[in-house]
Amino acid sequence: MKILVTGASGFLGRGLCPALRAQGHEVTELNSKNCDLTKPASLEPFSGEHYDRIFHLAAWTQAGEFCLTHPGEQWIINQQINTNVLAWWHARQPQAKLIAIGTSCAYAPGSDLREENYMAGDPIEELYTYAMTKRMLWTGLLALHKQFRSSFLYAIPSTLYGPDYHTDGRQMHFIFDLIAKILRGHYLGETVVLWGDGNQKRELIYRDDFVYHLLALADACENDLVNVGVGEEYTIRHFAELICERVGYPLSRIQFDSSRYVGAKSKCLNITKLRSILPARPQTSLEDGLTRTIEWCLETRTYERLPQS
Ligand SMILES: NC(=O)c1ccc[n+]([C@@H]2O[C@H](COP(=O)([O-])OP(=O)(O)OC[C@H]3O[C@@H](n4cnc5c(N)ncnc54)[C@H](OP(=O)(O)O)[C@@H]3O)[C@@H](O)[C@H]2O)c1
């Protein structure tokens, strides 16, 4: 198949594009440098091709407090990106199936995180704008399908992790931040302070497992949204314990700062639908996934760079 991937240079795209090529597909990789999707005409140079699938991964965001401090820019940029991609798909590539990525942050805190509830209630305040742009992306897919029978899939991942994450000093997803802090404690002698009381729970999915799921769902599902997680969450304290064991750093030296922003108390996707569509799925164990991720952090020495604020 001919496949176009937006956000190909991102953490997910760097896993997806090689997997697509390994399946024998011809892949066009886009990023903000070769195709700035905030510009309405940015995709015109690609209109000459007829793509079978468009994987739309591009989004302007970071983890940590980024969404809290950039809501206005996030609204403008992500709305522009999504509108331009959907408009081009409709006008120039109506034959293509569009596969877009949602976010677990769009679910209202405290609700059952199953697909029927994706648009119900309000997302957590700190991630409100980012979450709402993802809900608008889902709304756009539904609207185009309703009027023009366009074909799509909307996949909602839990937090992705694994080797090959960013090394540019941006604000990191919690697990990379946790690993970096513990490595800094071990190798640089810094005090390790974790935000929150350690009891907030999080779910992780190994990036390459998510890629496997995404490719299988792209074949199996039509015009639907599907949660893609592992169905289990653990406390930050538990993640810290596993990392400490691997690094050789005493858990007792970690300090917890309950006054800092920690986001939702719990965030675990309901994966009943995923299980029914893909009963047999690969799942990298948390222990193996963390070991590989820590090894990658050590090889790339990412923990030595402090994140930009
Ligand atoms: N990582 C996670 O845990 C996670 C969880 C849930 C959902 N998601 C969603 O999954 C998708 C991929 O996530 P990710 O972690 O791979 O994100 P990422 O690493 O931040 O990558 C974002 C991608 O979007 C591109 N991009 C940003 N602004 C752009 C613009 N103006 N024009 C064109 N491209 C632009 C970036 O290009 P440059 O490299 O050139 O900047 C990059 O390729 C996103 O939609 C994200 O919201 C991710």
Side-chain angles (χ1 to χ4, degrees):
M1 283 191 274
K2 280 195 175 169
I3 297 182
L4 180 123
V5 181
T6 77
S9 54
F11 179 50
L12 175 55
R14 293 197 296 273
L16 176 67
C17 293
L20 287 168
R21 288 209 173 86
Q23 288 189 339
H25 303 302
E26 196 181 309
V27 184
T28 302
E29 297 190 22
L30 303 185
N31 57 54
S32 68
K33 284 89 193 168
N34 66 7
C35 180
D36 180 355
L37 293 167
T38 60
K39 304 209 163 43
S42 56
L43 285 160
E44 276 315 313
F46 306 92
S47 295
E49 289 289 351
H50 281 262
Y51 293 99
D52 301 290
R53 286 191 181 162
I54 299 166
F55 283 84
H56 175 36
L57 315 183
W60 189 72
T61 193
Q62 291 182 30
E65 289 182 312
F66 188 83
C67 295
L68 192 62
T69 51
H70 297 77
E73 281 175 282
Q74 275 210 311
W75 189 84
I76 293 170
I77 293 171
N78 287 323
Q79 290 294 95
Q80 285 174 330
I81 289 176
N82 292 337
T83 301
N84 290 333
V85 169
L86 265 58
W88 180 75
W89 170 47
H90 165 61
R92 307 287 194 199
Q93 305 288 332
Q95 75 293 334
K97 180 171 189 170
L98 192 137
I99 295 103
I101 312 295
T103 176
S104 58
C105 317
Y107 284 105
S111 64
D112 179 0
L113 274 50
R114 61 193 159 88
E115 291 83 350
E116 305 87 286
N117 292 337
Y118 194 63
M119 300 291 274
D122 280 341
I124 190 165
E125 197 185 333
E126 292 84 350
L127 300 168
Y128 188 84
T129 306
Y130 170 64
M132 291 306 270
T133 62
K134 289 291 191 182
R135 282 187 176 185
M136 287 304 285
L137 176 58
W138 163 244
T139 307
L141 293 169
L142 275 181
L144 288 168
H145 172 68
K146 203 170 173 184
Q147 187 173 354
F148 305 108
R149 312 314 296 167
S150 314
S151 165
F152 75 89
L153 165 71
Y154 186 88
I156 305 164
S158 52
T159 302
L160 308 172
Y161 82 111
D164 193 28
Y165 190 69
H166 297 287
T167 54
D168 57 5
R170 73 179 64 186
Q171 294 200 43
M172 297 183 285
H173 283 87
F174 80 91
I175 195 68
F176 298 95
D177 190 52
L178 205 52
I179 293 171
K181 281 182 174 163
I182 293 172
L183 288 176
R184 288 178 76 85
H186 187 66
Y187 290 105
L188 308 179
E190 285 184 4
T191 306
V192 181
V193 182
L194 302 185
W195 292 8
D197 61 7
N199 294 321
Q200 66 275 25
K201 289 182 175 172
R202 290 293 178 269
E203 180 190 15
L204 292 176
I205 183 164
Y206 196 66
R207 182 199 62 186
D208 295 345
D209 291 348
F210 178 76
V211 166
Y212 172 93
H213 287 84
L214 191 63
L215 296 179
L217 290 171
D219 290 337
C221 293
E222 277 302 325
N223 315 318
D224 209 351
L225 83 169
V226 185
N227 285 337
V228 184
V230 299
E232 276 176 290
E233 61 179 347
Y234 299 97
T235 63
I236 295 295
R237 203 174 279 272
H238 180 67
F239 288 119
E241 197 175 350
L242 292 178
I243 297 164
C244 282
E245 273 170 22
R246 275 150 188 80
V247 172
Y249 185 80
L251 183 70
S252 56
R253 277 210 226 148
I254 292 182
Q255 296 174 18
F256 289 90
D257 181 353
S258 307
S259 68
R260 299 305 299 257
Y261 165 75
V262 291
K265 286 201 178 65
S266 161
K267 229 170 67 167
C268 187
L269 294 171
N270 181 323
I271 57 163
T272 309
K273 189 174 188 174
L274 179 70
R275 284 195 176 112
S276 72
I277 304 168
L278 302 175
R281 297 167 292 116
Q283 190 170 313
T284 303
S285 71
L286 182 60
E287 288 74 10
D288 285 351
L290 282 178
T291 302
R292 288 179 215 162
T293 309
I294 293 166
E295 280 167 3
W296 174 82
C297 288
L298 283 168
E299 276 162 27
T300 52
R301 303 178 84 95
T302 40
Y303 66 95
E304 290 180 358
R305 288 180 281 278
L306 281 173
Q308 306 141 4
S309 52

